[in-house]
C-alpha cells in the first residue's frame, strides 16, 4: 500500500426532553446584555454565549477547522453556542452588527462557503453534540455538532440502532443530514433523510427577528414544508438547525430499539487492489464495465444484495493502484460468498489477479475507524454525479486516459454503490430528488502545496468535463445520469465556462424539487440571511 493510500485509508490526522414547537423571540435581556470581555473574546452573562474575536487565542482554532485548506476565513466574530437560545442570541447580534452569517458544524464543506471573505460572523455548533432518546416525540434527538461517529456510538451502545449515514466518523451531523446523507447502509435502509422525523431551526422573519421553530413530517404540521426542505435541500439555505429527531417512517410503539434500523453485529470486508503496473487499458475498461453491470443487475429495491456496499477508488497512476473496498452485514447467511461472488464478477475476464485482504470485525469498530481523513493532503477540489446506467465505452476510455496518465496529480474517481432501498422512495417525498441511480460518483484531486493549486484544479475540471462531454460537461438528469449531490458542492456548475449544457446548477442538484425549495426559502428566510454561492435563491 503506497503512502497516499495508507494515509487516506488508515488515517493520519472523507439535554434530555422535547422542545416545544413555539416561535421564541430573542429575549430582551439577552439581546441588550453587554458581553463580559476577555482577551479578544467575550461571554454574554445571561445566556453563556461565547464570542471570540480576532485577537483571542482561540480564534485560530475556531477558524482553522475547515476540511479544505484552499480556503481560510477571517470573520470578525465566532460565536460558540451550546443551546438553541444561544443560537437565537448569536443570530440577533450578528444581524444587528450588519454581519453576514455562516454556520459550521463538522467543518467538512468542500467549497469555501463558511470560509468566504464576505462572512463576518461564524456560528460554531461543535459544542452542541448531545445524542439522546426523546420519549415525547418517540424519536432520537441528535444535535448538529455531534459527529457521525458520536451518533453511531451512542445509538448503537444504548439502543442497538443506527442511521444509514456516512463512512467518515469525523463529519458533523449538522451538514451531512441536510444534504440527504448516505453511507454503507443506504442500499439496505435508504438515505439518512428518509429517517428524519423533525428539525428545530432558528429562522429569521421579514422583520429581522430570530426565533426557534420545530417542524415535523406529520401531515397536519403547519411547518411541514420546512421539515421537507431539510431532507436534502442542503445546508446554509433556510436557517440554523439546532436539533434533529430521527424515527423510521412506519415504526410503531415506544421501544426505542424498534424505531430506527438495527445496526449489524459485524461487518465482513474485502479490500481488493489492482496494481496500476498490471492494468492495460483493456483490463481497466473490463473492470469498469463489470462493476457497472453488476450494479445495473443488483440495484432494485428488493435485491438480495441490498446489504452489500462498495466504494471503488479509481486512484490515478501516481497512487500506484486502484482499490475496491467492499463490505456486507456479517449476520447474513452466506455473507462471505456474496462478497466473493461480487469481487469475481468485477474481475471477470480481466486477466489480472488482484490482491485481496479479507476481514471480519464488530460493526461499531469498523464504523468508528478513522479511515478517510485527508491527512497532510489538505487542499482539494471535488465534483460529483449520479449514474442511472453504467459508464459508456467512451467514458471508460476517458477515465483511463486521465487516471492512467504518467502524472503527479493525486486524483481519484470514487464509485459508491447506490440504489436499492434508496430508490424505493418517490423523488418528491423528500428534497433528495435522485431516486433512480445505481452508482454515486465523487471525483477529487488532493494535494499539499499551494503552488500546485492551478494544476490540480485544472485536472479535476477537465476530467469531469470530458467524462460528461456529451451532456455539456455535467451530469444532466436524463437517461444515463441524474445530476449530482449537494453535499459535493461545486461552484463550477454555476459557471458557463464549465457547464455548457444550458441546464442550471440547481436542476443538477435538486431536479424538479427546486421551485418547492424556493417557496420554502421565501416563507422562512425572506431576507436571504442564510446564503452562499450555491444556496437556494428567493423566487422571482
Amino acid at each position: 500500500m503506497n503512502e497516499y493510500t495508507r494515509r487516506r485509508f488508515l488515517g493520519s490526522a472523507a439535554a434530555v426532553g422535547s422542545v416545544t414547537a413555539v416561535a421564541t423571540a430573542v429575549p430582551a435581556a439577552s439581546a441588550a446584555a453587554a458581553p463580559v470581555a476577555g482577551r479578544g473574546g467575550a461571554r454574554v452573562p445571561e445566556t453563556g454565549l461565547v464570542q471570540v474575536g480576532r485577537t483571542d487565542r482561540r480564534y485560530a482554532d475556531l477558524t482553522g477547522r475547515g476540511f479544505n485548506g484552499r480556503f481560510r476565513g477571517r470573520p470578525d466574530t465566532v460565536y460558540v453556542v451550546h443551546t438553541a437560545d444561544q443560537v437565537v442570541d448569536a443570530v440577533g447580534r450578528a444581524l444587528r452588527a450588519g454581519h453576514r452569517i455562516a454556520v459550521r458544524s463538522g467543518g467538512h464543506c468542500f467549497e469555501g462557503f463558511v470560509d468566504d471573505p464576505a462572512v463576518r460572523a461564524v456560528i460554531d455548533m461543535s459544542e452542541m453534540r448531545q445524542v439522546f432518546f426523546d420519549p415525547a416525540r418517540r424519536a432520537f434527538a441528535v444535535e448538529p455538532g455531534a459527529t457521525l461517529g458520536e451518533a453511531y456510538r451512542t445509538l448503537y451502545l444504548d439502543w442497538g440502532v443506527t442511521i444509514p449515514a456516512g463512512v467518515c466518523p469525523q463529519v458533523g451531523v449538522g451538514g451531512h443530514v441536510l444534504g440527504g446523507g448516505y453511507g454503507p447502509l443506504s442500499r439496505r435502509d435508504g438515505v439518512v433523510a428518509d429517517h428524519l422525523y423533525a428539525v428545530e431551526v432558528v429562522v429569521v422573519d421579514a422583520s429581522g427577528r430570530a426565533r426557534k421553530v420545530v417542524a415535523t413530517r406529520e401531515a397536519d404540521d403547519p411547518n411541514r414544508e420546512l421539515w421537507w426542505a431539510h431532507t436534502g435541500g442542503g445546508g446554509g439555505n433556510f436557517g440554523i438547525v439546532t436539533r434533529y429527531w430521527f424515527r423510521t417512517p412506519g415504526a410503531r410503539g415506544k421501544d426505542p430499539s424498534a424505531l430506527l434500523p438495527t445496526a449489524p453485529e459485524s461487518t465482513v470486508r474485502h479490500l481488493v487492489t489492482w496494481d496500476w503496473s498490471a492494468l492495460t487499458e483493456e483490463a481497466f475498461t473490463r473492470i469498469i464495465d463489470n462493476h457497472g453491470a453488476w450494479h445495473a443487475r443488483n440495484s432494485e429495491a428488493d435485491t438480495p444484495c441490498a446489504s452489500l456496499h462498495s466504494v471503488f477508488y479509481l486512484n490515478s497512476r501516481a497512487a500506484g493502484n486502484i482499490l475496491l473496498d467492499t463490505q456486507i452485514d456479517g449476520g447474513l447467511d452466506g455473507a462471505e460468498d456474496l462478497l466473493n461472488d461480487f469481487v469475481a464478477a468485477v474481475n471477470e475476464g480481466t486477466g489480472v489477479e488482484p490482491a485481496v485482504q479479507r476481514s471480519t470485525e464488530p460493526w461499531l469498530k469498523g464504523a468508528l475507524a478513522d479511515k478517510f481523513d485527508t491527512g497532510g493532503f489538505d487542499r482539494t477540489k471535488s465534483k460529483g454525479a449520479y449514474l442511472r446506467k453504467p459508464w459508456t465505452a467512451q467514458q471508460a476510455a476517458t477515465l483511463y486516459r486521465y487516471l492512467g496518465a504518467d502524472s503527479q496529480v493525486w486524483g481519484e474517481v470514487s464509485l459508491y454503490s447506490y440504489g436499492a432501498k434508496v430508490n424505493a422512495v418517490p423523488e418528491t417525498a423528500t428534497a433528495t430528488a435522485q431516486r433512480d441511480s445505481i452508482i454515486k460518483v465523487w471525483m477529487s484531486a488532493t494535494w499539499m502545496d499551494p503552488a500546485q493549486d492551478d494544476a490540480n484544479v485544472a485536472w479535476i475540471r477537465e476530467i469531469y468535463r470530458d467524462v460528461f462531454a456529451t451532456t455539456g460537461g455535467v451530469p444532466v438528469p436524463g437517461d444515463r445520469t441524474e445530476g449530482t449531490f449537494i453535499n459535493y458542492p461545486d461552484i463550477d456548475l454555476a459557471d458557463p465556462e464549465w457547464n455548457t449544457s444550458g441546464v442550471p446548477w440547481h436542476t443538477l442538484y435538486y431536479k424538479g424539487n427546486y421551485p418547492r425549495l424556493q417557496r420554502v426559502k421565501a416563507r422562512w428566510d425572506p431576507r436571504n440571511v442564510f446564503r452562499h454561492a450555491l444556496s437556494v435563491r428567493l423566487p422571482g
Side-chain angles (χ1 to χ4, degrees):
M1 187 176 286
N2 61 73
E3 178 64 11
Y4 173 79
T5 303
R6 186 188 71 80
R7 295 181 74 169
R8 291 300 302 274
F9 288 89
L10 300 183
S12 61
V16 176
S18 61
V19 179
T20 305
V22 176
T24 305
V26 180
S30 298
V36 177
R39 294 184 178 180
R43 184 184 294 271
V44 178
E46 287 78 6
T47 66
L49 174 67
V50 177
Q51 299 180 200
V52 173
R54 291 182 179 179
T55 60
D56 193 291
R57 60 183 177 180
R58 297 166 291 184
Y59 183 83
D61 283 310
L62 288 167
T63 58
R65 295 198 302 108
F67 178 82
N68 192 346
R70 293 172 56 212
F71 308 107
R72 286 289 181 264
R74 287 281 295 168
D76 294 329
T77 306
V78 179
Y79 297 95
V80 182
V81 294
H82 304 80
T83 67
D85 285 337
Q86 287 183 3
V87 176
V88 171
D89 189 7
V91 171
R93 290 175 182 277
L95 292 178
R96 288 191 294 275
H99 288 168
R100 171 107 166 247
I101 297 171
V103 184
R104 171 171 285 149
S105 296
H108 280 73
C109 183
F110 294 143
E111 290 284 8
F113 296 162
V114 177
D115 295 313
D116 184 327
V119 169
R120 309 306 331 144
V122 171
I123 299 179
D124 188 287
M125 313 292 288
S126 61
E127 291 299 293
M128 294 185 66
R129 55 202 320 139
Q130 295 187 83
V131 180
F132 60 92
F133 182 69
D134 180 348
R137 297 193 188 278
R138 292 196 308 115
F140 295 90
V142 182
E143 292 185 330
T147 64
L148 295 183
E150 290 166 341
Y152 292 153
R153 178 187 294 277
T154 300
L155 291 174
Y156 182 66
L157 293 182
D158 288 3
W159 299 283
V161 299
T162 192
I163 51 177
V167 294
C168 303
Q170 315 96 316
V171 167
V173 169
H176 184 76
V177 176
L178 294 178
Y182 78 101
L185 297 177
S186 286
R187 279 169 51 88
R188 189 192 77 169
D189 299 318
V191 299
V192 180
D194 295 338
H195 303 267
L196 184 65
Y197 172 73
V199 285
E200 179 185 63
V201 193
V202 173
V203 296
V204 177
D205 64 20
S207 70
R209 175 173 171 261
R211 60 195 179 103
K212 295 183 298 185
V213 176
V214 171
T216 75
R217 68 169 177 242
E218 298 295 341
D220 61 351
D221 187 340
N223 300 330
R224 190 177 190 277
E225 284 294 279
L226 184 61
W227 161 82
W228 178 86
H230 287 84
T231 60
N237 281 318
F238 312 102
I240 301 175
V241 178
T242 53
R243 183 165 294 172
Y244 297 92
W245 286 269
F246 296 97
R247 188 205 318 147
T248 299
R252 299 285 183 262
K254 298 181 180 180
D255 180 2
S257 65
L259 299 179
L260 277 179
T262 300
E265 180 180 346
S266 64
T267 299
V268 179
R269 187 177 181 191
H270 290 181
L271 283 176
V272 187
T273 306
W274 291 264
D275 246 338
W276 263 111
S277 61
L279 286 178
T280 62
E281 182 173 359
E282 181 181 7
F284 178 89
T285 301
R286 182 62 183 267
I287 290 171
I288 297 301
D289 290 347
N290 290 342
H291 178 268
W294 186 93
H295 284 85
R297 295 192 304 268
N298 294 281
S299 292
E300 296 299 320
D302 59 353
T303 176
C305 297
S307 288
L308 191 152
H309 172 79
S310 71
V311 189
F312 205 166
Y313 300 96
L314 304 178
N315 301 315
S316 62
R317 187 178 292 271
N321 58 44
I322 62 175
L323 186 148
L324 179 64
D325 182 357
T326 186
Q327 60 183 268
I328 197 168
D329 182 347
L332 290 178
D333 290 338
E336 189 82 39
D337 291 337
L338 286 172
L339 282 192
N340 285 330
D341 290 346
F342 172 62
V343 173
V346 173
N347 197 56
E348 183 182 2
T350 66
V352 181
E353 191 64 30
V356 182
Q357 299 178 25
R358 297 174 173 85
S359 65
T360 300
E361 60 185 356
W363 174 80
L364 184 62
K365 179 180 178 181
L368 298 182
D370 185 12
K371 299 187 288 288
F372 295 95
D373 203 335
T374 60
F377 297 83
D378 69 343
R379 306 180 75 82
T380 187
K381 173 65 179 175
S382 301
K383 295 175 177 288
Y386 291 95
L387 303 185
R388 297 184 65 209
K389 293 182 179 179
W391 301 106
T392 65
Q394 179 182 354
Q395 288 175 316
T398 301
L399 290 171
Y400 182 82
R401 175 161 56 89
Y402 277 91
L403 296 170
D406 187 11
S407 167
Q408 294 306 304
V409 172
W410 298 86
E412 176 184 310
V413 176
S414 298
L415 312 179
Y416 293 82
S417 294
Y418 211 64
K421 189 65 175 290
V422 175
N423 293 348
V425 177
E427 65 180 52
T428 59
T430 67
T432 302
Q434 288 80 7
R435 298 291 185 169
D436 192 34
S437 292
I438 61 175
I439 294 171
K440 185 194 285 279
V441 181
W442 179 53
M443 297 186 181
S444 68
T446 313
W447 64 100
M448 294 179 284
D449 187 354
Q452 298 174 346
D453 283 4
D454 290 346
N456 282 273
V457 171
W459 184 90
I460 190 66
R461 283 173 166 170
E462 290 164 7
I463 184 175
Y464 192 76
R465 175 199 62 197
D466 292 354
V467 163
F468 299 112
T470 61
T471 52
V474 295
V476 173
D479 180 55
R480 306 200 67 89
T481 53
E482 202 182 10
T484 185
F485 182 40
I486 190 58
N487 278 1
Y488 299 160
D490 174 19
I491 60 174
D492 293 343
L493 299 185
D495 186 342
E497 179 180 356
W498 298 103
N499 176 5
T500 62
S501 70
V503 176
W505 63 267
H506 49 76
T507 299
L508 298 173
Y509 286 120
Y510 302 119
K511 299 175 61 180
N513 284 341
Y514 187 66
R516 187 174 173 184
L517 289 169
Q518 288 186 290
R519 292 192 293 272
V520 177
K521 178 76 168 179
R523 178 180 176 188
W524 295 103
D525 186 23
R527 296 164 62 100
N528 200 26
V529 169
F530 303 102
R531 64 191 188 274
H532 51 73
L534 294 177
S535 59
V536 173
R537 308 296 196 251
L538 289 167

